Every structure is written in C-alpha cells, then in structure tokens.
Amino acid sequence: MTAPASVTASETWDPSQPILEIEHLSISFFTRMREIPAVMDFSCRVMAGEAMGLVGESGCGKSTVALGVMRELGKNGRIVSGSIRFKGRDLAQMSDEELRHIRGSEIAMIYQEPMASLNPAMKVGAQLAEVPMLHSGMNRAEAWDLARQIVADVRLPDPERIINAYPHQLSGGQQQRIVIAMALMAKPALLILDEPTTALDVTVEAGIVDLVKELGEKYGTSMLFISHNLGLVMDVCDRLCVMYSGEAVETGNIEQVFDEMRHPYTQALFRSIPLPGADKNARPLIAIPGNFPLPHERPPGCNFGPRCDYFQKGRCDAAEVPMVLVPDSDRHETRCLRWQEIDWTAPPAKREVKQKAEIGRVVLKMEDLRKYYSVSGGAFGGGARKVVKANETLSFEAREGETLAIVGESGCGKSTFAKVLMGLETATSGSIMLFDENVQSTPIQKRNTDTVSQVQMVFQNPFDTLNPSMSVGRQIIRALEIFKFGKSDAERRDRMLELLDLVKLPRAFAERMPRQLSGGQKQRVGIARAFAGGAKVVVADEPVSALDVSVQAAVTDLLMDIQRENRTTLLFISHDLSIVRYLSDRVMVMYLGHVVEMGTTDQVFAPPYHPYTEALLSAVPIADTRIIRKRIVLEGDIPSAMNPPPGCPFQTRCRWKSQVPGNLCEIEVPPVQVLEGGHQLKCHLSREVLARMEPVIKVATE
C-alpha cells in the first residue's frame, strides 16, 4: 500500500523546523443551544525529538487540542480558526484519505483507558500486527515478528505468551504497555499521550514513564504529553504549556516554568500541590479560590481574573490579553498584563498557620484480622475451590483526632480492610474493637444506628455516590433521618444547612441537583453526608484522586478542618504518597494483604525503609526541580492473592533479597521488627543492613 504523493511529499520537511506547529487555534463545539468555544487562540510548537507537556485543570481544553491534531472532533466539533501544521502541512486542510494515511503511521495517540483502545475479541498479537499490515503493507509473518520485538521493547515478560493472550488476561499496566507498543508499531514521528498513567499504580506508572522516555529516544519520536500531574510532566517532558479555560497562559522549558513562573495561574497550581516541605499545620496548601468558568460564561479580559490574587479591575478585564515573550528566555511566554510588576519570590499572603490537632485515646483497634474469600477455580464456576487471602494478620490502632494513611498498590487489601471495618464484609478471624465494641463479625445490617453513624465512608468517585434524581439537601436530610437525628423536619433541615456550612458550600446548594455541581462540590456533599450522624471514624477511600489538583487542596484541607473541630479519626486510603506525606500523622504500608511497614510519617519517609516502601517512594513524581530521586522500578506485577508466593510476600520483586542469608525470604514469612520509636517493619533484613539504607528522595544542594 503506497501513500498519496501529497503525503509522501512531507519527506521534504526540514527537521530543523517544528514537527508540530499550532498557531492561533480556536475550536468550538456546536449544540442546538449555542456555540461552545472549547479552545481559543492556542499556539504551541513541538520540535523534532522534543516532548511537550500540556497541563491544566479538567475542562481547560488539553484533550480537545489533542483531538484537533488528530482531526477527531466528532460531528459537532469544528476548527473555527488557526492552523495545525504537521511537518509543514496544515492538517485542517487535508482530505479524509490523506488523514487516514497519517493517523497511526505518522501521528499516533495513546488514550487514558487502555481497554478502550483494545479489541476484547482479538488476540494481542493480531491487534499489533494489524498496524504495519495496514499502514506499511507488511506481510503477516513479518508483522508478527515485529509484534514480538515491540512487546519485548516495552519490557513485557514472555512475549510469546503475551501476543497469544487476549486483553482481559493482562493487568492494567500490561494493557497500557500493549497500547504503547501498538502506537509505536508504525514508528510514528509524533506520539500524543492523553493521561496515559492516570488509572495505574504509582509503581506501574514509574515503569511506563521510564519506558515512554526510553522509546522516545530510541525511535526519535516527538511527544505531546497531556497530564494534570506536574511531577509526571517534569519527568517526561522538555517543555511545558499551561492551559486555563481554553487558552495557553504560560509556556516555556521545564526549568523556566517551574522555577521562574510568570503567570498567576501557574503559581496558584504549584501552591495547591503538596511539595516536600508542605505541612498541614505550619504550611498548609492554598486552594485556588472560586470555580473554573464554563466555556460560554468566560469573564471579559483575562479568563483567570476572577480567581487571581493580582487582578486589577478596569485593567485586567478591559480587553483580551495576548501572549507575550519573556525577555532573555528560551521561548518563555506568558498571558499576563502584570507579570513584570509581580514579586514572584514573595511568600503567599493568604497562608494561615493551623493549630495541630491533639491525638487522644484509642478509638479503633484491630488484632490479627484476616479476611479470606473462597472462589471457584474453574472458568464457569466449576473446579476446585480456591482461597483468596485478601487480608493477613492486620494489627493496628487508630486514635482520636489522628490521620492514619493506608497505602499500597491495587490488590494489596486496602479496600477489603475498609469494607470489613464498615461492616460491608465480615472478617474471617481476628477482632475489630470500635470504642468498646467488637464488630468483627457484625455485618452492617445488624449493627445498631449509633455504631453505623460513628463509622462513615467518603468514596473515591463523587459522581457514583449521589442520587441523580434527589436534591443535595434532600440527600443529606435522608442520612439524618436514617441516623434518627432531630425530632422534626425543621430540626433536620437546620442541621443540613449547618453541614453545608461545615463543608463550605453555599446554603443555596441545598436546592441544586448533583448534575449542577462540579466534581469538587459533589465530593463536599459526600463529606457532609458522612458527617451527618456525627461520625467519629471516617474512612476516606481515595477521596481526592478523581479531582483536579486545585480542588484536591480544598477538599483535603476541608477534611483537616473538620477533623480539628470534631476530633475525628481519619483513615486515609491512597496511592498518592505526596498527599499522604502532607496530611498523615502515621502511615501503614500494605502489600498483598500484609502490613509490611508502620510508623509515623517521618519514620516511613526516611530510611530505613521496608524494600517495598523504598520502591513506592522512589516512584512518586515530585514537581520540584531541586529534588533528586533514586529510581527503583519494580519488575513484574503484584502477585495474585489467590496464589501468593511462599515466605515473604514481597520476595518475588525485592532487590534486597540477596542480603538475607540462605533462602529464608522464600521459606518464612518475616517477623515484625520494632525499631526505634515504635517503627515496625515486616522484613528479614538485619538491622545492620537496614542501617545502611540511603534516602531515595534528596534535596539538591546549591
């Protein structure tokens, strides 16, 4: 199959010119009601071999730009003005036939959800081989050989088994590697990655990020990397473009934008993420005030004006603000009228020091808790029964007013433990003392109202936890009715309004429906409902992972404020170790159902570490150019709880195993070692070896 002459003519493109040049691009979506401008006056350039990061809050237009480059805007999406030139040719002027030859071969895209890109009814090898067969006319045998080679390139074990597997037989991380392999099969000149690691564990994410960088260098591929994670962008990209409400507001190389930012929105983003040194009491995060404007409700002048600390009425809202070049810089531009007047080194004026909550008595105590599931071994319910060991000998205490973080990869048993505590599951053995009551074997249906009201949960996805047909106020009142609060409807309504005050939502929101709220506002309603019965223990299961970084700061600080006021015990389940470091008092690290490390936040984040904790910490992307990390990428996936390895659960992935004499790690489950200050490690490593461990995160000295 040969490409049309008009496409092959792009081979005359000069590599010293941008491979992708977007100039004054505006994209709108047309509905029956109105035109919705999604992207306005957007410009950026990507040079050959360069990686450009696009960052900003949800709805800022990042993905729309990517879909505009791919010319996949759907029936109601349209490029209104501007140009998108790829290798010197305007993609907006190309015919469908020309675009078919470019998509997949010269420009490839990797989406957030890998299963959306894979055909569940086709073997992996067949899906990979399709790419060169369609785009290059390669014969079947050569295409399958290339598929094996690319599968090995993306560091998947046993390529022969992988290419003969169906997508559902692979883990999430393996599926994403296959999607990357598929995108690289035709050796594209430009690779667009839209939040490619959002759904993955931090350890898997680290492997994918290293892989993307390595393959980009190997194949000379240019990249447009879309993410809301500034640390991830710093790891992958050479340059950065910050977007806000459809516009580029700042662009430049990574060091300039991170260390010499010249737009108030970029500064506000950095102040709302937990960098090393942030402290929930002494240096709390600063949430961006107000809400993101809807595309058809943008303010006059500067879009960020209503939320900006430096806004000047009559000036910032007088006219459209253009991008301007910062002198003596590497293409560093900003869309701010006042950037030369602002003291960018001044500390934030709004930061207030909070009172540290006092830690009180033990309110929750688990001892030797086990949770096993019995499942069938056959495909359709037949075969011998197998046991899934979701939780093994969990023992810990949580105190009044304390934040205990529970961290670990997917499948480690975090959510199972939460379900057992809530009474949604009953434990196989062990005890759960909630205040003075053992609730280990009491399902939620048999728990009394007081017990249910005292232990509540805030879920990961606020969209799934609210009834779409019931107003916000009614949903909170319903919880109050279940908890038997108040003697009349009037009392319950007054309490509902107080709860809206507690979570800092306007009282008028009581009449709103969930669809009228943003993600952060919905999560606040979920928190208000959790505290409706005067909860003393709140299990927060990834409560901010579905939210933008600017909203995360507001929601986490809200939880901290409520905790200080109500002396709540917060069990914070998360895979984001940056937020854990910021708000937790103690940390419990879980792996394959076991608690492998427990201690204060300072103990867990400094050596000696459990080898698994060490790998977790080394994988955390940190948006700070001063930080030096020792990268430890774990090989292989977390083993199955149905067939755990013998001995230490982590021994199949541990880089320290050779430091333990004999085959002890493969034979015996390690004992719990109690180090100085009550720091607990479940590991065979001797104290001498542990003492030699070095920090994986360091601040570079000047």
Side-chain angles (χ1 to χ4, degrees):
M1 185 185 292
T2 55
S6 57
V7 175
T8 54
S10 70
E11 291 171 9
T12 61
W13 163 74
D14 179 1
S16 67
Q17 296 300 308
I19 193 165
L20 177 70
E21 188 167 22
I22 303 173
E23 286 194 330
H24 306 296
L25 177 69
S26 293
I27 297 173
S28 291
F29 291 90
F30 294 85
T31 67
R32 282 179 290 183
M33 294 281 291
R34 61 173 69 88
E35 175 188 352
I36 298 174
V39 173
M40 304 174 303
D41 189 32
F42 178 83
S43 299
C44 86
R45 285 187 297 168
V46 182
M47 304 303 287
E50 192 172 67
M52 167 71 82
L54 275 186
V55 301
E57 293 169 280
S58 300
C60 71
K62 305 186 298 288
S63 295
T64 304
V65 168
L67 293 172
V69 174
M70 295 297 288
R71 287 280 308 277
E72 289 183 347
L73 291 167
K75 288 185 177 179
N76 63 341
R78 195 182 309 158
I79 294 173
V80 178
S81 62
S83 62
I84 307 171
R85 284 194 292 278
F86 173 70
K87 289 188 173 180
R89 299 190 61 241
D90 194 344
L91 293 169
Q93 306 302 320
M94 286 188 185
S95 67
D96 289 345
E97 179 66 20
E98 289 174 316
L99 286 168
R100 261 195 299 274
H101 288 286
I102 281 185
R103 288 193 198 116
S105 59
E106 293 212 61
I107 305 176
M109 187 161 176
I110 296 169
Y111 296 90
Q112 182 171 341
E113 177 48 62
M115 271 308 281
S117 306
L118 296 172
N119 186 334
M122 283 177 72
K123 287 185 176 178
V124 165
Q127 296 187 57
L128 290 170
E130 256 188 350
V131 179
M133 288 165 70
L134 281 172
H135 290 290
S136 311
M138 192 178 285
N139 67 49
R140 188 176 184 279
E142 287 178 332
W144 274 78
D145 286 343
L146 181 60
R148 284 185 189 87
Q149 181 204 319
I150 295 277
V151 166
D153 277 354
V154 296
R155 298 204 289 265
L156 281 169
D158 194 357
E160 197 61 42
R161 179 185 69 81
I162 295 286
I163 63 173
N164 285 297
Y166 288 96
H168 72 270
Q169 294 173 304
L170 307 179
S171 69
Q174 289 174 331
Q175 288 170 3
Q176 192 62 287
R177 285 169 189 259
I178 290 299
V179 171
I180 291 169
M182 193 182 295
L184 293 169
M185 283 293 283
K187 297 185 173 61
L190 176 66
L191 187 59
I192 301 171
L193 302 100
D194 190 359
E195 301 271 13
T197 61
T198 299
L200 304 177
D201 282 310
V202 68
T203 50
V204 181
E205 179 181 79
I208 296 287
V209 165
D210 283 359
L211 173 70
V212 166
K213 286 163 62 180
E214 182 185 303
L215 294 175
E217 290 167 9
K218 179 176 179 178
Y219 294 111
T221 309
S222 303
M223 284 188 275
L224 194 61
F225 189 90
I226 298 169
S227 180
H228 66 273
N229 187 327
L230 286 160
L232 208 56
V233 167
M234 192 182 89
D235 279 353
V236 177
C237 301
D238 309 299
R239 296 184 63 78
L240 175 64
C241 179
V242 181
M243 290 189 72
Y244 181 80
S245 191
E247 295 178 327
V249 295
E250 184 164 12
T251 185
N253 67 42
I254 291 291
E255 287 76 16
Q256 285 172 340
V257 176
F258 275 53
D259 299 337
E260 299 171 26
M261 58 197 70
R262 292 296 179 264
H263 194 280
Y265 176 60
T266 312
Q267 184 186 63
L269 272 183
F270 274 91
R271 286 177 174 176
S272 66
I273 58 175
L275 296 174
D279 181 283
K280 64 181 178 182
N281 299 308
R283 295 184 62 196
L285 302 180
I286 301 172
I288 303 175
N291 292 313
F292 195 78
L294 294 172
H296 57 282
E297 295 177 354
R298 291 185 175 109
C302 175
N303 282 341
F304 188 59
R307 306 174 74 187
C308 180
D309 291 341
Y310 310 104
F311 177 75
Q312 276 188 354
K313 192 169 177 58
R315 182 182 174 192
C316 297
D317 54 0
E320 294 298 316
V321 182
M323 288 287 274
V324 293
L325 185 68
V326 176
D328 303 319
S329 67
D330 176 18
R331 293 177 282 152
H332 187 186
E333 295 179 282
T334 178
R335 194 183 294 271
C336 179
L337 293 173
R338 301 197 59 206
W339 71 270
Q340 290 173 298
E341 305 163 22
I342 295 167
D343 181 359
W344 297 100
T345 60
K350 291 184 179 177
R351 180 173 280 152
E352 57 175 304
V353 176
K354 304 285 181 78
Q355 190 68 35
K356 186 175 180 179
E358 284 187 28
I359 308 298
R361 66 191 178 107
V362 173
V363 296
L364 174 67
K365 186 173 183 177
M366 284 195 182
E367 285 191 7
D368 291 331
L369 186 87
R370 288 179 170 86
K371 176 59 185 174
Y372 295 170
Y373 294 96
S374 178
V375 296
S376 62
F380 300 102
R385 305 292 290 179
K386 292 189 176 182
V387 174
V388 177
K389 297 180 178 181
N391 287 149
E392 278 276 19
T393 59
L394 247 71
S395 297
F396 73 91
E397 294 177 347
R399 297 176 177 273
E400 186 180 57
E402 179 182 46
T403 301
L404 173 65
I406 298 111
V407 301
E409 292 170 291
S410 302
C412 73
K414 305 188 300 287
S415 295
T416 301
F417 139 78
K419 288 175 187 173
V420 171
L421 175 59
M422 295 298 298
L424 302 173
E425 303 271 4
T426 52
T428 305
S429 65
S431 70
I432 305 173
M433 296 300 295
L434 183 62
F435 298 99
D436 299 319
E437 181 186 1
N438 189 351
V439 295
Q440 169 260 328
S441 56
T442 312
I444 196 164
Q445 302 91 324
K446 295 183 179 178
R447 292 186 181 183
N448 61 48
T449 306
D450 284 346
T451 304
V452 173
S453 66
Q454 285 179 336
V455 185
Q456 285 294 297
M457 195 160 181
V458 178
F459 294 91
Q460 178 173 356
N461 196 334
F463 306 93
D464 294 340
T465 55
L466 298 179
N467 187 331
S469 60
M470 197 181 280
S471 72
V472 164
R474 181 65 202 137
Q475 299 198 47
I476 297 172
I477 288 171
R478 176 79 184 119
L480 291 168
E481 288 171 350
I482 291 168
F483 297 141
K484 297 182 171 57
F485 178 91
K487 296 176 182 176
S488 65
D489 289 345
E491 277 189 37
R492 283 187 282 273
R493 179 167 177 79
D494 287 345
R495 177 59 181 157
M496 177 269 291
L497 293 172
E498 287 173 7
L499 286 164
L500 288 179
D501 294 341
L502 183 72
V503 297
K504 299 179 173 64
L505 283 177
R507 290 190 169 198
F509 275 40
E511 309 305 321
R512 291 197 181 183
M513 305 300 283
R515 67 176 181 274
Q516 296 173 291
L517 273 57
S518 69
Q521 289 166 343
K522 286 177 184 171
Q523 193 62 293
R524 286 167 185 258
V525 175
I527 293 168
R529 198 170 53 180
F531 281 91
K536 293 298 180 188
V537 178
V538 171
V539 181
D541 189 359
E542 302 271 13
V544 295
S545 64
L547 306 176
D548 281 311
V549 288
S550 55
V551 183
Q552 280 183 12
V555 171
T556 51
D557 276 0
L558 169 67
L559 283 169
M560 294 297 100
D561 287 343
I562 294 173
Q563 182 184 53
R564 290 183 190 100
E565 188 175 323
N566 294 3
R567 296 186 56 73
T568 315
T569 302
L570 187 65
L571 302 181
F572 192 87
I573 298 172
S574 182
H575 67 273
D576 184 343
L577 288 166
S578 296
I579 208 105
V580 163
R581 184 175 197 165
Y582 168 67
L583 60 82
S584 64
D585 300 303
R586 286 192 302 136
V587 181
M588 182 166 89
V589 183
M590 292 186 68
Y591 185 82
L592 207 61
H594 293 257
V595 176
V596 295
E597 183 164 4
M598 182 183 280
T600 65
T601 307
D602 288 341
Q603 287 170 344
V604 171
F605 277 77
Y609 314 106
H610 185 279
Y612 176 58
T613 309
E614 180 190 48
L616 278 181
L617 292 173
S618 82
V620 179
I622 301 171
D624 192 331
T625 55
R626 299 168 303 151
I627 296 297
I628 299 171
R629 279 184 301 153
K630 180 196 287 184
R631 194 54 159 260
I632 302 161
V633 176
L634 290 178
E635 298 297 328
D637 294 302
I638 191 168
S640 167
M642 194 185 297
N643 187 25
C648 173
F650 187 60
Q651 53 100 351
T652 57
R653 304 167 79 192
C654 182
R655 75 188 191 104
W656 289 88
K657 196 162 99 172
S658 61
Q659 300 291 317
V660 178
N663 296 323
L664 191 60
C665 295
E666 298 171 15
I667 300 167
E668 268 183 40
V669 175
V672 175
Q673 297 189 53
V674 181
L675 307 179
E676 190 179 344
H679 184 192
Q680 298 176 23
L681 293 180
K682 198 172 194 175
C683 187
H684 284 303
L685 288 174
S686 68
R687 296 200 176 204
E688 291 73 28
V689 173
L690 291 170
R692 294 202 303 268
M693 279 191 172
E694 295 180 350
V696 290
I697 300 171
K698 292 180 182 176
V699 178
T701 52
E702 293 294 333

